[in-house]
Amino acid sequence: MTFKGQPLDENLLATKQDLQEALRQLLRPLRPLYSPGGAHLQIRGGGAGHPEELADMEGFSRVLWGLVPYLAGGGKDEGLWELGLKGIVNGTNPAHPEYWGDVADYDQRLVEMAVLGLALCLIPETIWEPLHQQERDNLYNWLNQINHHPCYDCNWLFFNVLVNMGFYKVGLPYDQEQMEKNLNRMEEFELGEGWYSDGIGGHSDYYVPFAIQFYGLVYARLMAKEDPERCARFRERGILFARQFLHWFSPDGSALPYGRSLTYRFAQSAFWSALAFADVWSDDLTPGVVKGLIMRNLRWWLKQPIFDRDGVLTVGYAYPNLVMAENYNAPGSPYWALKTFLVLSLADDHSFWSAEEEDMPTLPPLSVQARPHLVLCREAETGHVAAFNSGHRSTNDHTHTSAKYEKFVYSTAFGFSVPRAEWGLAQGAFDSMLALSECDNLFRVRRKNEETSIRANVLYARWLPWSDVEVRTWMVAGLPWHVRIHLIDTGRALEAAEGGFALGRQHTETVSASECAIQAANALGASGAYGLVGYTSAQMVYPNANTNVLYPRTLIPTLNVRLEPGAHLLASAMYGRPPGMSMDSSSLEAGLRTLNVTVTSAGLAVQLREGEVLEIKL
């Protein structure tokens, strides 16, 4: 991506100097967007659930996630910190027109305070010492509001911890009791194997690595003397989590699109930066390995069309896209991605910078990750990573929750799609889902589950799209083939549509179909759906534009059947691969053998890895 003469995608990202320059390249286009008082970053282009003035403050704050560690590590200021400090002084001054305002309960300002706490820890000589007494009082009083207003009972609790940690580090009064209470509460979010949920019953997604785990590792370094036992736990969990999180990354640097807040983009690798910041290493997670994960992820992202013509980050994922955004995604929100630049705070002679970048460790083709309810499959020949999902027992009201958390599989090569509207298969964009309709062109999909389990590469869920419709789903995970099986007991007539992987469209695709099979292939890969039991037809669905997170235009191979009231068995084999082989009868047969799936006259049999045979029939 080249803008304003800056060849950002040509930056080799090999040294500390390269990464410093990348940050400068990302920040230069923002200079003209600061308000006269410096306290607001006025990026425009869509809105969020909070007011524009607050969104402008959010944009200002998120830039600091990169700028603070840059300065802490000796980065040369190009005048942006002078503007930033001016903004902090004016934004915390109740008498100034650009005052950030008094805080309410559960306020977005509470989120944006966290980086100022980090700044007090890392660069007190730059943010605190230059201020005269009234300016110091204003900054302290504004930040201290976080001790008098509740945060949401999730990763937000760490914002209070970071602010109070900043107060402590510069010798200011801080709320030790509240800080301890929040740290203890977050212990209750811990699930084992290094994982947390984002609050009790919450999801386990990227909010673990770029929020709870990230802040825990920051705390582990900065409070090691004061709180050694807790810091040791954060470090231990960091290593345990890292060994699972590795599987979310492809050798080309891309990471698994899954869950909400994907517009934070290269915050995907912020956890690895925090691991380096806390000096948490092991024999299999050396500085060279961690360095490679960060740099490859950044290189991949900086080659995507994620900027506007002036070089400002947009809301979206692999391209600008408001359709997939959350209600809280403001124009400046994507700059939380700069959390990955935390490594810039490391000294020039740190082992992270002196280490040679290493390839990813050799990983097994299957990783069962019970805490986030996923089985990750990895195809060595293509680098394709897919996460098969047993689903969650609870849900929430975030945007597109079903699409972001309840699809059967998520993929680095095919991404996933969100609905554009409610009418029909094209607007619903039901890739990797079973969509059910009362024959009225309005479809329901899985949103939460009554039961879930994982046994090796076989995932199970029971879900109720209506009170009188029960679906029991089994998936046999694998690449490039996987098998899905549904036992449906319905009290009403239904239409069923089973979508495969969404394939990005180009000028031409090769599409072939038979009665119960359909596939498409092009330079981006191949996607196919093959009916094994129960389906009566197949079609290619061409979803509305901008529904997929990776590609603006896609197609979805889809199987169809009409179901009368009663019990039904449906089974399908789904194929997905980056550029390479296409689906045919011989590869299907080989895929079923590899997955140990046998189709019988009565149903299906799955040979489980421990030797037991799972028979599924009416």
Side-chain angles (χ1 to χ4, degrees), residues 85-105:
L85 187 59
K86 175 183 176 183
I88 291 168
V89 168
N90 292 332
T92 58
N93 180 2
H96 195 275
E98 294 189 14
Y99 176 55
W100 288 329
D102 295 337
V103 172
D105 294 351

Side-chain angles (χ1 to χ4, degrees), residues 24 60 106 112 142 163 179 276 344 352 363 371 374 386 397 430 455 470 515 596 613:
R24 291 191 292 264
F60 171 93
Y106 310 107
E112 310 312 330
W142 188 80
V163 169
M179 189 176 174
L344 288 180
F352 177 85
L363 298 173
R371 309 306 177 181
L374 301 174
D397 60 357
F430 301 118
R455 297 175 65 183
E470 178 189 69
E515 184 178 13
N596 296 317
V613 176

Side-chain angles (χ1 to χ4, degrees), residues 27 30 34 41 59-67 80 335 338:
L27 297 186
L30 302 179
Y34 281 85
L41 186 60
F60 171 93
S61 167
R62 298 201 169 187
V63 167
L64 300 180
W65 284 106
L67 191 56
L80 208 54
Y335 282 93
L338 299 183

Side-chain angles (χ1 to χ4, degrees), residues 14-146:
T15 66
K16 182 177 182 180
Q17 292 71 33
D18 291 340
L19 197 59
Q20 287 174 326
E21 176 58 17
L23 181 69
R24 291 191 292 264
Q25 289 171 293
L26 287 165
L27 297 186
R28 283 172 190 146
L30 302 179
R31 288 185 62 89
L33 305 180
Y34 281 85
S35 58
H40 294 92
L41 186 60
Q42 298 171 322
I43 304 173
R44 295 294 175 259
H50 44 275
E52 189 172 84
E53 181 177 302
L54 185 49
D56 291 347
M57 182 268 164
E58 174 190 49
F60 171 93
S61 167
R62 298 201 169 187
V63 167
L64 300 180
W65 284 106
L67 191 56
V68 167
Y70 171 85
L71 295 172
K76 181 181 178 183
D77 184 25
E78 294 187 342
L80 208 54
W81 178 251
E82 180 182 354
L83 189 56
L85 187 59
K86 175 183 176 183
I88 291 168
V89 168
N90 292 332
T92 58
N93 180 2
H96 195 275
E98 294 189 14
Y99 176 55
W100 288 329
D102 295 337
V103 172
D105 294 351
Y106 310 107
D107 197 309
Q108 183 67 29
R109 296 172 183 86
L110 301 171
V111 179
E112 310 312 330
M113 289 178 177
V115 72
L116 296 175
L118 181 67
L120 290 172
C121 293
L122 295 186
I123 53 169
E125 71 286 351
T126 307
I127 187 175
W128 184 251
E129 293 173 12
L131 305 183
H132 60 65
Q133 191 57 51
Q134 185 59 58
E135 292 168 339
R136 291 183 178 187
D137 291 345
N138 289 342
L139 176 56
Y140 176 79
N141 291 334
W142 188 80
L143 286 173
N144 196 45
Q145 293 178 94
I146 203 169

